Amino acid sequence: MMNKKTIKMIYTMLALTVLFPSLAWAQNPDVAAEARNAINRTDEIISLAKEIVQECRSQKARLALERAIEIQHRAMNLSVSNRNSYALKITMEARQEAWHAIALARAESRMEEAAQRLDEDTMERLTRLRSRIMENGLKDNQTLKLIEEAKALLERSRINAHQYRNQLAFKLAENAYKLILKAEERFRKTRNLKEMCERRLILMERLLDRAREQQQESDDPRIKRQFQLAAGQLERSREQLAAGRYRAAQITLEKCETVLRSLVRQVQSDHSSDAEKMFSETLRLRERAAELIGGDPHPATQKFLNRADKLLEQARQAVNDGRSQNAVELTKRARTLLRQAIDSSPQTISRDKLSAEIESALQRRDNLLETLENCTEPGARDLFQRASRRLDNAQQLFAQERFERAAAELKIARNLFNRIREICSS
């Protein structure tokens, strides 16, 4: 049995434990050691965070680091007071805040680097595109407008980057990059249209020379009026081409060609007329092939196009020399090669490219409505309805992500639009 003195000592110790719990914690060497180790580990992580945050320009990361240091000071004070359980809990909070500061700093650094890379890539594309526009003598206000808008976005991106708003800087640089891609696509289409007009202008000048000789030998006033009309259209197309109005020049040249072909056929033999007509149709096939294939053809496709162009040049010379039979044979061979070029062209179309082509076709449909108002050719409106249905189908298939089918429907719609333009300009 315990004596009264022993019992009194036990009760005294229990009372001290209740009144001064830190004395009881101080007697637990495991908790104290764990707290000291945790505090030391948190110090190491805070030191690492200081190095990483110092190298970046993130204000959020700096504030998180300051909070981590403040919390760690509290943990150290608790440890000195032998309140080790509390110290352990608080130092873990400080450690979590230090890791948060590291994560913010690293994310900000990645965003800053990404924005800088995108800025450099966009600026390089912008500079290269401007050089290509100058080299090709291209005049297109819409392309220049896209370039200026991209440049303005880049300037805003750099200002935000200097103000440490890297996320906004990246978004602005990304939008600038998208505008430059759009400008490059428009440049390619406009350049192709310009080159088509230039080729057709050369052909029309040759036809006009032949028609001049014929109208001088004829006393028919209708032929002379036709010649004056064609000469006026050709001069107008030159002015439109020089002013950068390439679409208007294309339409004017088509009208000019219709008048000149009609004028030449009136005084030539039937066989020669067939050769001229076939050659003209094949030139239009060459232009449609360029539209379908795009500005960067596959090497195998380019090979077919080069051979076809060579035959067309020979056929043109044959037509000019009056060798009609030879011209017909050369033209037929060129047609075969052009069809092979279209068939050999890869049909894989990206989502963005297909979306842009559908948008272009919708704009073309709207433009054709004005043409139809002044078109008296039978069947033109039926063709327009068929083309519209095909284009609507392309939109629905695109929305369903059935891109190959959508591309096929779009191709049919564009061919029908081309046919409408041909018959309405005759």
Side-chain angles (χ1 to χ4, degrees):
M1 298 238 358
M2 293 185 290
N3 55 32
K4 291 182 178 180
K5 186 177 181 179
T6 304
I7 292 172
K8 186 177 180 180
M9 185 181 294
I10 291 173
Y11 277 112
T12 300
M13 292 299 295
L14 288 172
L16 289 172
T17 301
V18 173
L19 293 173
F20 303 100
S22 62
L23 294 176
W25 293 332
Q27 304 303 317
N28 189 341
D30 292 339
V31 175
E34 184 178 358
R36 284 194 302 272
N37 291 335
I39 287 172
N40 291 336
R41 177 57 182 157
T42 302
D43 280 340
E44 293 175 0
I45 295 172
I46 288 176
S47 296
L48 175 64
K50 286 179 179 178
E51 294 178 5
I52 294 174
V53 171
Q54 187 177 8
E55 295 176 356
C56 84
R57 301 186 296 179
S58 172
Q59 187 63 23
K60 292 181 180 179
R62 282 181 168 77
L63 292 174
L65 177 59
E66 290 174 3
R67 285 195 297 270
I69 294 172
E70 181 183 348
I71 296 169
Q72 177 71 344
H73 284 161
R74 289 169 52 198
M76 294 171 70
N77 291 334
L78 289 168
S79 177
V80 170
S81 303
N82 287 326
R83 302 175 66 182
N84 294 303
S85 293
Y86 281 150
L88 180 61
K89 178 182 178 182
I90 297 302
T91 195
M92 295 307 293
E93 292 180 7
R95 187 183 303 180
Q96 183 177 2
E97 195 65 28
W99 281 122
H100 182 52
I102 291 172
L104 286 172
R106 287 175 173 169
E108 195 72 12
S109 295
R110 287 195 296 270
M111 183 65 69
E112 184 179 1
E113 292 172 1
Q116 186 175 357
R117 287 196 302 270
L118 199 55
D119 180 290
E120 292 172 354
D121 190 16
T122 305
M123 197 63 202
E124 182 181 349
R125 284 179 173 270
L126 189 152
T127 304
R128 187 166 60 244
L129 181 58
R130 276 181 167 171
S131 297
R132 294 172 67 190
I133 290 173
M134 293 180 64
E135 290 170 0
N136 287 269
L138 204 66
K139 296 179 181 178
D140 183 53
N141 291 332
Q142 185 61 31
T143 302
L144 296 176
K145 182 180 178 182
L146 289 170
I147 290 175
E148 290 304 315
E149 289 176 358
K151 185 179 177 183
L153 287 177
L154 279 183
E155 290 297 330
R156 290 174 55 193
S157 173
R158 290 166 184 169
I159 292 172
N160 281 276
H162 290 150
Q163 296 173 350
Y164 309 145
R165 296 199 291 260
N166 292 311
Q167 188 169 359
L168 180 56
F170 176 82
K171 188 64 179 177
L172 289 167
E174 186 179 41
N175 290 338
Y177 183 79
K178 290 178 180 178
L179 282 177
I180 284 298
L181 291 181
K182 190 174 180 181
E184 288 176 342
E185 180 65 22
R186 181 171 179 86
F187 165 78
R188 286 191 290 269
K189 291 181 178 179
T190 307
R191 180 192 60 188
N192 290 340
L193 177 60
K194 177 176 179 285
E195 290 175 351
M196 285 182 195
C197 290
E198 289 172 343
R199 289 196 298 268
R200 180 164 284 186
L201 179 63
I202 293 172
L203 176 62
M204 292 306 100
E205 287 172 344
R206 292 177 180 175
L207 279 176
L208 188 70
D209 289 339
R210 294 175 58 192
R212 179 179 290 104
E213 298 175 359
Q214 294 167 359
Q215 66 91 19
Q216 288 174 349
E217 298 173 355
S218 174
D219 296 329
D220 191 339
R222 291 176 302 173
I223 291 179
K224 295 186 180 295
R225 284 196 300 270
Q226 278 185 300
F227 176 80
Q228 293 300 325
L229 174 61
Q233 290 172 333
L234 191 59
E235 182 59 30
R236 187 161 58 252
S237 69
R238 288 194 193 97
E239 295 172 354
Q240 291 167 337
L241 196 57
R245 299 170 56 199
Y246 305 120
R247 188 65 65 185
Q250 181 189 29
I251 295 173
T252 303
L253 284 168
E254 288 173 354
K255 293 179 179 179
C256 177
E257 182 176 7
T258 301
V259 174
L260 286 175
R261 297 291 182 194
S262 174
L263 182 61
V264 171
R265 280 197 296 268
Q266 291 182 46
V267 291
Q268 288 186 327
S269 65
D270 291 339
H271 190 73
S272 176
S273 177
D274 290 341
E276 293 258 356
K277 182 179 179 181
M278 181 180 292
F279 180 70
S280 178
E281 290 173 351
T282 307
L283 284 179
R284 285 193 287 270
L285 177 61
R286 175 63 177 89
E287 294 175 1
R288 287 196 294 272
E291 293 178 358
L292 291 171
I293 293 168
D296 189 18
H298 187 273
T301 304
Q302 187 63 57
K303 186 176 179 180
F304 285 123
L305 290 175
N306 292 341
R307 291 169 59 191
D309 288 342
K310 186 175 180 180
L311 287 173
L312 282 174
E313 186 59 35
Q314 295 174 2
R316 177 186 285 111
Q317 190 62 46
V319 169
N320 292 338
D321 295 343
R323 294 181 284 112
S324 302
Q325 185 62 40
N326 189 18
V328 169
E329 293 174 358
L330 291 168
T331 303
K332 286 180 179 178
R333 288 165 57 191
R335 282 187 179 185
T336 301
L337 288 170
L338 288 173
R339 293 191 183 97
Q340 288 175 328
I342 294 172
D343 293 339
S344 68
S345 179
Q347 298 301 312
T348 302
I349 299 178
S350 68
R351 180 190 184 96
D352 292 342
K353 182 178 179 182
L354 183 57
S355 175
E357 290 183 353
I358 290 176
E359 185 66 28
S360 175
L362 289 170
Q363 182 64 42
R364 188 174 185 184
R365 180 171 65 181
D366 294 341
N367 294 338
L368 275 175
L369 285 172
E370 300 178 6
T371 303
L372 282 175
E373 292 179 0
N374 301 319
C375 183
T376 58
E377 290 294 325
R381 297 186 182 278
D382 290 339
L383 285 175
F384 184 81
Q385 294 298 328
R386 287 168 54 194
S388 293
R389 285 195 296 270
R390 293 289 189 176
L391 186 53
D392 292 339
N393 290 342
Q395 287 183 281
Q396 294 173 6
L397 291 166
F398 179 83
Q400 299 168 4
E401 297 192 353
R402 298 165 66 185
F403 300 135
E404 294 295 333
R405 289 287 307 280
E409 291 290 319
L410 178 61
K411 181 177 178 181
I412 295 172
R414 289 192 303 194
N415 288 339
L416 290 171
F417 286 150
N418 287 336
R419 180 59 183 154
I420 293 168
R421 182 179 289 277
E422 289 174 3
I423 65 176
C424 287
S425 63
S426 60

